[in-house]
Amino acid sequence: MKISELSRTTGVPVASIKYFRRQGLLPAGRATAATLAEYGQEHVQRLRLIKALTTLGGLSIAATRDVLTAVDQAHSTDSALGAVSYALPVPVAESPVGDAGREAEIGSAAEAEVADLIAAMDWQTPGTSPHVEGLTAALRELRRLDADYRPGELVAYAELARSIARLDLDRAAAFDEAPEALAEQAVIVFALSAPVLELLRRLAQEDQVRRRIPSLPGDGPRTG
Amino acid sequence: MKISELSRTTGVPVASIKYFRRQGLLPAGRATAATLAEYGQEHVQRLRLIKALTTLGGLSIAATRDVLTAVDQAHSTDSALGAVSYALPVPVAESPVGDAGREAEIGSAAEAEVADLIAAMDWQTPGTSPHVEGLTAALRELRRLDADYRPGELVAYAELARSIARLDLDRAAAFDEAPEALAEQAVIVFALSAPVLELLRRLAQEDQVRRRIPSLPGDGPRTG
């Protein structure tokens, strides 16, 4: 199909398609003339994935490119999952200026908390993982707000996170029947299930709050 | 303290403090002269919270204002939790153009999937909840990518989300000893535990992947 039809099929404007091409997110079409290219079903699917990553996944164009590059270079579902995991942006916490002594104390406490957690969970995670650094920064931020986790609380969350990760990996493995869709499986499971999980948590929070208080918007509470 | 000291203490530039004031995120200081105001510990804490929401929480200035307004108007932990829950931005999925018949089919299937899930979980959630709409849009997006959940899979995630929400509410209740910190308890639990949970899930995914494949960056695998 021509670029105009690719645009109609996917709802992505021609200018955006050209931008994604220039940014290396979308492979070239098959050249049929000096200024014409023929696009196929793989371009439709890739454009849908780009849209899903940038809207539902909330990724920037740069992050989307990193993720797609990582999966295009992967050779198996597991290595794709690993590559995507490291290519996804990590939630960041800024380091505020403040009392240097307190900051040092907060920093050591957060590092010890993460090390203890990883040991308690027996997680096989190198210290160089961006997620170790990210979690340490997040815990520092919570300590600054005097909202650190009580003993055992973080482990309780981590146990649930492990159960979720097992579901994620099972889900990725189940897709495996069509190996040519490998790249997308990894992206979908790792990048697009995060917003679904967050929405499920919000619905569950809403339910929990509603069971405690009758004056929320919407219908009244039931017991349970 | 003067605005210059407030800036030094929190690491937030004076211009940003003035901007947050104008945007209604930060309450006024106590006026001590026509152009001078005195700020207190509550301003330090509020600025730390604004920083945490906009960095770790990933919220925009507008979303931060919505959340802080919601909590400032709440009268109890539970109503603060409800208000924050509705004020937080919902992950969005765009509706692509495409075959109208297929889109209608995808739309009905996603709506039925969400309705079935809420019934199966006995979740007390009004149809007007932004999270119902958000989840439906997310599931439509996954269906468009042919990555919909298999039967039972979504319920398995939802069960874990419920366990997480219970931990969240327990955590919020535990903070309750200092009622003047009510606003922040709700925000911290609902807005700032999402990135922590996501990091825990990523660490757990990393562990799960690493147990299956030895060639990832970092140290080698162990069995488990």
Side-chain angles (χ1 to χ4, degrees):
Chain A
M1 68 188 83
K2 289 181 189 159
I3 195 167
S4 56
E5 193 186 337
L6 181 62
S7 170
R8 267 197 310 279
T9 305
T10 57
V12 178
V14 168
S16 302
I17 295 176
K18 289 183 172 171
Y19 175 73
F20 294 151
R21 275 283 304 122
R22 284 198 304 276
Q23 293 290 318
L25 274 67
L26 187 73
R30 191 169 52 82
T32 52
T35 59
L36 278 179
E38 180 72 15
Y39 294 92
Q41 198 51 40
E42 72 275 20
H43 295 91
V44 171
Q45 181 72 0
R46 178 53 67 103
L47 273 176
R48 288 202 173 120
L49 187 58
I50 293 169
K51 280 188 79 168
L53 287 173
T54 52
T55 60
L56 182 60
L59 300 192
S60 67
I61 293 294
T64 303
R65 181 177 44 218
D66 289 349
V67 167
L68 293 177
T69 304
V71 294
D72 285 347
Q73 291 170 354
H75 309 297
S76 69
T77 304
D78 283 340
S79 69
L81 288 168
V84 169
S85 168
Y86 272 49
L88 283 172
V90 173
V92 286
E94 255 180 43
S95 286
V97 187
D99 176 78
R102 189 173 175 234
E103 274 300 307
E105 197 183 298
I106 284 174
S108 318
E111 277 173 31
E113 203 173 2
V114 172
D116 289 352
L117 177 74
I118 289 174
M121 301 300 295
D122 187 26
W123 274 343
Q124 302 186 4
T125 310
T128 52
S129 164
H131 307 125
V132 171
E133 196 186 322
L135 183 62
T136 309
L139 296 183
R140 273 202 306 268
E141 192 77 69
L142 291 174
R143 277 181 182 266
R144 277 185 207 112
L145 294 165
D146 292 320
D148 34 319
Y149 289 86
R150 287 168 303 161
E153 239 176 6
L154 202 56
V155 169
Y157 279 98
E159 298 276 9
L160 291 169
R162 170 149 64 194
S163 300
I164 290 165
R166 285 191 178 133
L167 286 183
D168 290 340
L169 275 273
D170 289 349
R171 185 160 149 71
F175 281 137
D176 223 348
E177 294 152 27
E180 71 278 9
L182 175 67
E184 296 186 4
Q185 298 158 22
V187 170
I188 287 165
V189 168
F190 273 23
L192 298 184
S193 66
V196 172
L197 176 64
E198 173 61 10
L199 286 162
L200 291 173
R201 189 179 74 112
R202 297 261 201 103
L203 282 167
Q205 285 174 337
E206 229 183 295
D207 171 66
Q208 291 289 315
V209 170
R210 199 171 290 274
R211 287 176 189 275
R212 299 185 182 204
I213 183 176
S215 61
L216 283 181
D219 58 32
R222 283 168 282 158
T223 53
Chain B
M1 67 188 84
K2 290 182 191 159
I3 195 167
S4 56
E5 194 185 335
L6 181 62
S7 169
R8 267 197 309 278
T9 306
T10 58
V12 179
V14 168
S16 302
I17 295 175
K18 290 183 173 173
Y19 175 72
F20 293 150
R21 276 283 303 121
R22 284 197 305 275
Q23 293 290 318
L25 274 67
L26 188 72
R30 190 169 53 81
T32 52
T35 58
L36 278 179
E38 181 71 15
Y39 295 91
Q41 199 51 40
E42 71 276 21
H43 294 91
V44 171
Q45 182 72 1
R46 178 53 66 103
L47 274 176
R48 287 201 174 122
L49 187 57
I50 292 169
K51 280 188 78 167
L53 287 173
T54 52
T55 59
L56 182 59
L59 300 191
S60 67
I61 293 295
T64 303
R65 182 177 45 221
D66 289 350
V67 167
L68 293 176
T69 304
V71 295
D72 285 348
Q73 291 169 354
H75 309 298
S76 69
T77 304
D78 282 340
S79 68
L81 288 168
V84 169
S85 167
Y86 273 50
L88 283 173
V90 173
V92 287
E94 256 181 43
S95 286
V97 188
D99 176 77
R102 188 171 176 238
E103 274 301 306
E105 195 185 299
I106 284 173
S108 317
E111 277 174 31
E113 202 173 3
V114 172
D116 289 351
L117 177 74
I118 289 174
M121 300 301 294
D122 187 27
W123 272 345
Q124 303 184 4
T125 311
T128 53
S129 164
H131 308 125
V132 171
E133 195 186 323
L135 182 62
T136 309
L139 295 184
R140 274 202 306 270
E141 193 77 70
L142 291 175
R143 276 181 183 268
R144 279 186 207 110
L145 293 165
D146 292 321
D148 33 319
Y149 289 86
R150 287 168 302 161
E153 236 177 9
L154 202 55
V155 169
Y157 279 98
E159 298 277 8
L160 292 169
R162 171 147 64 193
S163 300
I164 290 166
R166 285 191 178 133
L167 286 183
D168 290 339
L169 275 272
D170 289 350
R171 185 161 150 71
F175 280 138
D176 223 347
E177 294 153 28
E180 71 279 7
L182 175 68
E184 297 186 4
Q185 298 157 21
V187 170
I188 288 165
V189 168
F190 274 23
L192 297 184
S193 65
V196 171
L197 176 63
E198 173 62 10
L199 286 161
L200 291 174
R201 190 179 73 111
R202 297 259 201 103
L203 282 167
Q205 285 174 335
E206 228 183 296
D207 171 66
Q208 291 288 316
V209 171
R210 197 171 292 275
R211 287 177 188 276
R212 300 184 183 206
I213 183 176
S215 60
L216 284 179
D219 58 31
R222 282 169 283 157
T223 52

